[in-house]
Amino acid sequence: MTTILALDTSMEACSAGLWVDGRIFARKETLQRGHSQKILPMIAQILGQAGIVLSEVNAVAFTSGPGSFTGLRIGFGVVQGLAFGANLPVIPVSTLEVMALSAFHKYNLPEDALILPALDARMNEVYWGVYRAGEKNTTVIQPDRISTPEVIPTLVRESIAAGIGSGWSYNLGQGISANLVDVSLEPNAEDLLVLALNRYQAGDIVAVDTVELSYLRENISWKKRQKLRPESPEKT
Amino acid sequence: MRVLGIETSCDETGVAVYDSQAGLLAHTLYSQVAVHADYGGVVPELASRDHVRKLLPLIRQTLADANCTGEQIDGIAYTAGPGLVGALMVGGAVGRSLAYAWNIPAIGVHHMEGHLLAPMLETEPPDFPFVALLVSGGHTQLVAVAGIGRYEILGESLDDAAGEAFDKAAKMLDLDYPGGPEIARLAERGDPDRFRFPRPMTDRPGLDFSFSGLKTFTLNTVAEHRGDAVLPDEQTVADIACAFQEAVVDTLVIKCRRALDQTGMKTLVIAGGVSANRRLRNKLEAALARQGARVYYARNEFCTDNGAMIAYAGCQRLLAGQHDDLAIRAIPRWPMDTLPPLGNPDAPKQ
C-alpha cells in the first residue's frame, strides 16, 4: 500500500491531499491569511476520512518554494514536525512545477505542453521557470529562478501553451507568445500528490533534515550598519 | 509530566525538556546574534530563516541530552507570542505539528509569562504573590502576580523598552549589538560623577516608564563632547555609558520600590534580558533590603530568551488541563493580562 500526504501553503491557496492506493482525499481553501490555523485541521480531516493514521503514511510531500516566505515556512514547519514526529521521509517539490501540472489539468493542454509559471516576487521581479507537462509528469526546461520580467523573453524563445501565475500580471505576454494566460492559478495539493507519487516510486525521497526551502531571493537587501569608527573604542 | 519547550519569538532558538517531577532535564540555545550584528539589530526575515534551519537539529540534540525519546514526552509548549510573527510561526508550526504526530497536547505560551516564571527554575523559587519587573528589549512592565495567569499590569513603558534604550544608546556610542552588555561592561570604567542623566517620570506618581528622553539626552551629551571627532574620547564614552546605565537602573529601582509599597508585597521578581544587568541586581538588592523585601531573578542564561522557561510555563498550564486545538498560534501583540488564570484562584498556593 502506498500512502502519500501532501500539503501546500506557499500562496493564498491552502490545501492538503492524501493518496491511498489510487484514492485521493483532499481539502482546499483560498485564504489571504490564516493558513497556520487551517492546515493541521485539514490534514487531520483527510487522514480521518481515509481511516489512516500518520504513522501509516509513506512520505510527506510539500511545496518547497518559491512562494510567500512565511507561507513556505508554515508548510515546511508542519512537514518538519510531522516527518520528525512520525519518522517519515519527505518529498519537496517546486511550487512552480506543481502549478505547471495544475495548468495542464485545468486547461486540458496537449501532452508535453510548454508551461511558464511565474509568481510576483515584488520589487519588479518574478520567480519563474519553464516546464513541459504531461498527464503524469513534468520536465524542467528552465530551472526556477528570480529575475526582472524583461529577462524572460531573452531566455524563452519557444511558444508557450500556458502562462500562469501572478507574475504574468507584469504583462510578460508582450515579449513571449502564450496561447493562454491565467494570472490567478495557484498550486494545489492534488497535483502535488501526482508529482510526489512519481518521485516516491522512483525512490526520490529525502530525510527532512537535508531539505532547504527555495526562497530564490537570497540577498535580502537590508542596509548593513556603518560603524562610526572602523575599530570600536572598547576593543583597542 | 514531561514537556518539550520551544522558543523562537525573536533571535534565539531555544529548546528544553522540563519534567514536573525531576525538573529541567536539558536545554539548548542557538543565538543568532552574529547573524544580526552587522545590521545593528534583528532583521526579521533573516531570523525566521535561521530558526527554520536550527530548530529541528536543536530538538534532536535536546532530546538526546535529556536522554529521552519522543514517546516519553507528554506535551509540547511553544512560544505563541508576543514577538516577530514570522519567527513565532516557525516554532509554532514545528511544535504544534510535532505534538499532533506524537498524539500529545500542545500549548502556545506567552513569552513574557515564560520570563516571569523563569526564576521558578532556580533552587530557591519565589512564592506568590509578588511584583514582577519584566524588563527586556521589547518590554518594560511592572506586574502584580497573584498566581499563574493572574496578572495585573501596574505600569509599563510609554515608549521604548529599557533594553531597547540600552541598544539605541549603545549605537550612539558606536558599540556593538546587542548594546546592553556592552554598555554595562564599559560603565564599569566610567566615572559615575561626571554626568548626571535624568531619571524620567520619577518625579510624579505612577508606575509607568519613558525611556525615549534618555536617548535624546545621550545623543546631546555625545554631540557636546565629541568636538570635531565622530565620537568623544574613550573615557568620555565610558562616562556616558556609566551615566546612562545609572539613570535607567535608578529609574527601575524607584518604580519597583514604589510598586512594592503600593501593593504591600515583599517579593520582587525581575525577569527578561535586562534582569541580567549586575548593576540593576545590586542596586535593587540593596534598596529592597532596606524595606524588608527580597528580589529574585533567574540565572543569567534564563534571563535572556530560552526554551526552559517556555517548557516550565507550558508544563504548568498543561498540568492544569489547558491545551490548544490544532491551530498553530502566532500572536505578535498579546497583552499578558488577558491570559486565563490557572485553576481556582482561592485554592492554596501550589
Side-chain angles (χ1 to χ4, degrees):
Chain A
M1 193 166 91
T2 303
T3 306
I4 311 274
L5 177 67
L7 58 102
D8 168 56
T9 57
S10 62
M11 312 279 296
E12 287 191 0
C14 174
S15 62
L18 184 70
W19 166 283
V20 187
D21 277 344
R23 289 188 302 153
I24 289 181
F25 303 85
R27 289 281 187 287
K28 182 179 181 181
E29 277 189 59
T30 299
L31 306 160
Q32 287 272 322
R33 48 184 61 233
H35 298 65
S36 55
Q37 280 148 49
K38 296 285 176 126
I39 189 66
L40 274 173
M42 279 182 176
I43 291 168
Q45 277 169 19
I46 55 175
L47 286 170
Q49 197 185 347
I52 293 282
V53 293
L54 187 64
S55 56
E56 294 175 287
V57 168
N58 296 111
V60 187
F62 71 108
T63 40
S64 59
S68 142
F69 296 162
T70 297
L72 292 175
R73 283 190 287 265
I74 292 170
F76 186 37
V78 168
V79 168
Q80 286 179 316
L82 298 180
F84 172 61
N87 199 20
L88 307 173
V90 302
I91 305 172
V93 181
S94 156
T95 312
L96 298 174
E97 186 168 0
V98 177
M99 289 170 67
L101 191 62
S102 297
F104 177 84
H105 287 141
K106 183 175 175 185
Y107 293 106
N108 276 316
L109 298 176
E111 193 71 15
D112 289 339
L114 266 189
I115 300 173
L116 196 162
L119 293 173
D120 185 359
R122 304 198 189 142
M123 299 187 266
N124 194 41
E125 287 188 308
V126 287
Y127 306 118
W128 65 280
V130 179
Y131 289 88
R132 207 176 275 292
E135 189 54 47
K136 290 283 171 217
N137 213 349
T138 51
T139 322
V140 187
I141 304 299
Q142 287 269 357
D144 296 357
R145 71 174 73 193
I146 183 170
S147 77
T148 59
E150 293 75 36
V151 168
I152 303 178
T154 69
L155 295 171
V156 180
R157 308 278 183 205
E158 305 92 331
S159 175
I160 297 293
I164 51 166
S166 57
W168 280 82
S169 49
Y170 280 101
N171 213 358
L172 304 180
Q174 280 190 337
I176 309 160
S177 141
N179 291 349
L180 72 92
V181 170
D182 178 351
V183 296
S184 63
L185 189 134
E186 295 222 352
N188 70 69
E190 281 189 65
D191 291 303
L192 170 57
L193 272 180
V194 174
L195 294 173
L197 191 65
N198 289 334
R199 306 257 167 106
Y200 180 75
Q201 285 163 348
D204 195 2
I205 53 173
V206 293
V208 68
D209 295 68
T210 65
V211 178
E212 289 263 350
L213 287 170
S214 4
Y215 297 103
L216 297 187
R217 178 170 277 149
E218 296 299 341
N219 51 338
I220 306 294
S221 57
W222 279 284
K223 248 203 183 134
K224 293 212 173 180
R225 176 182 171 193
Q226 296 297 310
K227 293 282 271 185
L228 297 174
R229 280 207 282 247
E231 222 171 327
S232 46
E234 81 275 20
K235 282 185 182 158
T236 52
Chain B
M1 171 177 276
R2 194 169 281 191
V3 175
L4 178 73
I6 297 171
E7 155 66 33
T8 64
S9 68
C10 190
D11 62 344
E12 326 259 10
T13 318
V15 181
V17 177
Y18 176 80
D19 185 298
S20 54
Q21 309 280 301
L24 190 63
L25 299 183
H27 68 98
T28 54
L29 187 84
Y30 167 75
S31 173
Q32 303 179 352
V33 164
V35 175
H36 303 288
D38 285 349
Y39 301 91
V42 177
V43 181
E45 178 60 24
L46 295 182
S48 303
R49 290 187 181 195
D50 221 20
H51 286 307
V52 171
R53 278 184 220 108
K54 298 302 190 312
L55 181 53
L56 206 49
L58 222 48
I59 292 174
R60 284 188 199 277
Q61 187 196 326
T62 313
L63 288 171
D65 289 354
N67 200 16
C68 81
T69 61
E71 289 85 56
Q72 293 169 290
I73 299 291
D74 303 305
I76 293 181
Y78 64 88
T79 306
L84 301 170
V85 67
L88 290 167
M89 206 63 97
V90 175
V94 174
R96 186 64 200 88
S97 56
L98 183 54
Y100 173 74
W102 282 345
N103 200 21
I104 55 175
I107 189 152
V109 170
H110 192 290
H111 180 76
M112 297 312 291
E113 177 170 80
H115 275 304
L116 188 150
L117 297 176
M120 300 294 183
L121 290 162
E122 301 306 325
T123 43
E124 239 188 289
D127 286 323
F128 296 114
F130 54 75
V131 169
L133 172 71
L134 302 176
V135 62
S136 67
H139 291 81
T140 304
Q141 277 185 332
L142 277 162
V143 187
V145 180
I148 295 174
R150 297 167 64 205
Y151 309 128
E152 183 196 346
I153 310 290
L154 301 171
E156 58 195 328
S157 178
L158 305 176
D159 40 59
D160 293 349
E164 192 181 359
F166 265 102
D167 284 341
K168 288 175 176 172
K171 209 166 183 172
M172 293 171 197
L173 299 174
D174 208 33
L175 306 178
D176 286 334
Y177 173 85
E182 288 293 307
I183 292 216
R185 207 159 55 83
L186 212 53
E188 283 176 25
R189 288 195 269 128
D191 172 3
D193 298 321
R194 179 154 173 217
F195 300 111
R196 184 174 168 83
F197 281 31
R199 275 59 174 159
M201 295 185 70
T202 53
D203 56 352
R204 64 186 103 158
L207 295 169
D208 286 335
F209 304 89
S210 165
F211 292 108
S212 69
L214 216 44
K215 208 169 53 188
T216 314
F217 201 91
T218 307
L219 194 65
N220 291 341
T221 310
V222 169
E224 276 166 36
H225 290 85
R226 68 183 171 89
D228 296 329
V230 290
L231 280 172
D233 62 86
E234 275 179 45
Q235 186 56 49
T236 303
V237 167
D239 295 343
I240 293 173
C242 182
F244 174 86
Q245 175 173 266
E246 287 302 297
V248 175
V249 166
D250 279 352
T251 306
L252 294 172
V253 171
I254 291 166
K255 300 279 166 142
C256 285
R257 293 185 57 185
R258 205 178 275 178
L260 289 172
D261 284 341
Q262 192 176 308
T263 56
M265 292 182 191
K266 291 286 178 199
T267 307
L268 178 77
V269 165
I270 56 171
V274 183
S275 72
N277 183 289
R278 189 182 302 275
R279 186 73 180 148
L280 176 64
R281 289 178 174 185
N282 291 345
K283 276 201 145 177
L284 270 174
E285 271 161 4
L288 266 55
R290 285 198 293 274
Q291 63 187 97
R294 196 177 157 188
V295 57
Y296 292 82
Y297 42 80
R299 71 194 88 159
N300 276 359
E301 60 183 330
F302 295 161
C303 288
T304 44
D305 294 351
N306 64 86
M309 66 184 195
I310 301 303
Y312 177 84
C315 184
Q316 305 313 307
R317 290 193 173 274
L318 288 166
L319 279 172
Q322 297 178 8
H323 59 84
D324 293 343
D325 59 15
L326 284 176
I328 296 157
R329 298 170 75 201
I331 313 160
R333 287 165 199 279
W334 188 7
M336 203 167 71
D337 50 5
T338 61
L339 292 175
L342 208 69
N344 177 5
D346 300 321
K349 284 179 296 203
Q350 299 188 339

